[in-house]
Amino acid sequence: MPVTKCPRKSEPLWKGWDWKAQKNGLRHQVYAVNGDHYVGEWKNNLKHGKGTQVWKKSGAIYEGDWKFGKRDGYGTLSHRDPETGKYRRVYSGWWKGDKKSGYGIQFFGPKDYYEGEWCGDKRSGWGRMYYPDGNIYEGQWQNDKPEGEGMLRLKNGNRYEGSWERGMKNGHGRFFYLDHGQLFEGFWVDDVAKCGTMIDFGRDEAPKPTQFPIPKSISSKVEIQDPDGVLRKAIAELMNTEGEDD
């Protein structure tokens, strides 16, 4: 004769106790074993919603959105200054999966910071970087470096507009020497200009113009003041070089 079992009318007691132990909704300060603590909202025992996390070892503080235990949404990360003990903002912006993603501002120091797009904790997309020496780069980024089209404005007013690759000038570009009133347009390889043309550009308004203007056309007559002297000097240098070889 087959044996049949009646179905249980209720769940085991341990399941109910486990459910009651789950943190859900708003909670006051909750400490981890390592001393970190969190104040905010929970869901199924995970940080979820609005909350503030403090890391004991580094002293860092995150205030913002959480999603299933990870920083996700808008939030601000601050670090404690070891000298003053005061907190300073390091990053304000969007997060995804515990990493900076979307638009945000990162402060590297008192005078250098980046504002723009992020992806996976790295500067990617469009952004503007303010460097501590006063230079400013504005343009495209990839893998935390300038990549694509961008403009670098130097502290003295000169600027480069053109292509970038791996954080260096690569490809076609133009360099405006506004202090001298000249413009160079050409091709760069790893920050070095390989070939191009130089013309006067706003020379009359330049603060430190060149002594002589650049000829405006090929038809302009360009002559060496002392061609014989230049030739004699070149021959003398050549003879000295040959004598050293002997």
Side-chain angles (χ1 to χ4, degrees):
M1 183 174 181
V3 179
T4 59
K5 294 182 178 180
C6 296
R8 293 178 179 176
K9 295 181 180 180
S10 60
E11 294 289 340
L13 290 177
W14 69 266
K15 287 192 176 181
W17 294 335
D18 184 66
W19 175 254
K20 290 180 180 179
Q22 298 288 312
K23 292 184 282 293
N24 284 282
L26 181 63
R27 289 289 186 276
H28 292 292
Q29 201 154 270
V30 177
Y31 281 87
V33 177
N34 60 3
D36 299 347
H37 59 272
Y38 170 82
V39 178
E41 296 177 302
W42 297 78
K43 184 176 182 180
N44 297 336
N45 221 33
L46 295 172
K47 305 179 187 77
H48 191 87
K50 301 287 184 181
T52 301
Q53 169 81 25
V54 179
W55 287 270
K56 181 180 179 181
K57 186 176 181 180
S58 64
I61 296 179
Y62 171 80
E63 300 174 280
D65 297 326
W66 296 80
K67 188 174 182 180
F68 301 115
K70 296 183 178 181
R71 290 168 289 185
D72 203 299
Y74 189 86
T76 299
L77 179 67
S78 301
H79 285 175
R80 185 169 53 199
D81 192 314
E83 296 181 358
T84 64
K86 296 181 179 180
Y87 281 92
R88 63 179 183 86
R89 186 175 53 171
V90 176
Y91 175 79
S92 291
W94 293 91
W95 302 73
K96 187 174 183 180
D98 224 29
K99 295 182 178 181
K100 296 186 284 285
S101 294
Y103 183 85
I105 302 176
Q106 171 87 37
F107 295 89
F108 299 94
K111 296 183 180 180
D112 54 327
Y113 64 96
Y114 169 85
E115 56 179 0
E117 296 175 303
W118 295 79
C119 183
D121 264 346
K122 294 184 178 181
R123 291 167 286 187
S124 294
W126 180 92
R128 183 186 294 117
M129 179 70 198
Y130 295 84
Y131 296 96
D133 57 5
N135 298 340
I136 301 173
Y137 171 81
E138 181 176 355
Q140 296 174 316
W141 293 76
Q142 184 176 331
N143 200 29
D144 230 22
K145 294 181 180 180
E147 182 93 13
E149 294 296 316
M151 176 179 65
L152 177 66
R153 287 181 287 177
L154 304 182
K155 184 179 181 180
N156 62 3
N158 296 343
R159 70 178 187 270
Y160 168 83
E161 298 177 0
S163 299
W164 296 78
E165 185 178 333
R166 295 172 284 106
M168 296 180 286
K169 296 184 268 305
N170 274 283
H172 183 267
R174 298 186 299 173
F175 199 104
F176 295 83
Y177 295 91
L178 300 181
D179 55 344
H180 298 317
Q182 293 181 328
L183 166 62
F184 177 83
E185 184 171 1
F187 194 85
W188 271 260
V189 176
D190 292 348
D191 268 345
V192 178
K194 294 297 183 178
C195 61
T197 57
M198 180 80 81
I199 63 172
D200 283 332
F201 184 85
R203 184 173 174 274
D204 296 336
E205 295 80 21
K208 297 179 181 179
T210 55
Q211 184 177 1
F212 301 104
I214 297 175
K216 296 182 179 180
S217 64
I218 300 177
S219 59
S220 300
K221 190 175 182 181
V222 180
E223 294 181 348
I224 299 176
Q225 292 183 352
D226 185 14
D228 295 334
V230 172
L231 181 59
R232 286 194 299 270
K233 184 178 179 181
I235 293 174
E237 291 179 354
L238 179 61
M239 296 297 292
N240 291 334
T241 302
E242 291 178 351
E244 292 175 358
D245 295 338
D246 295 340

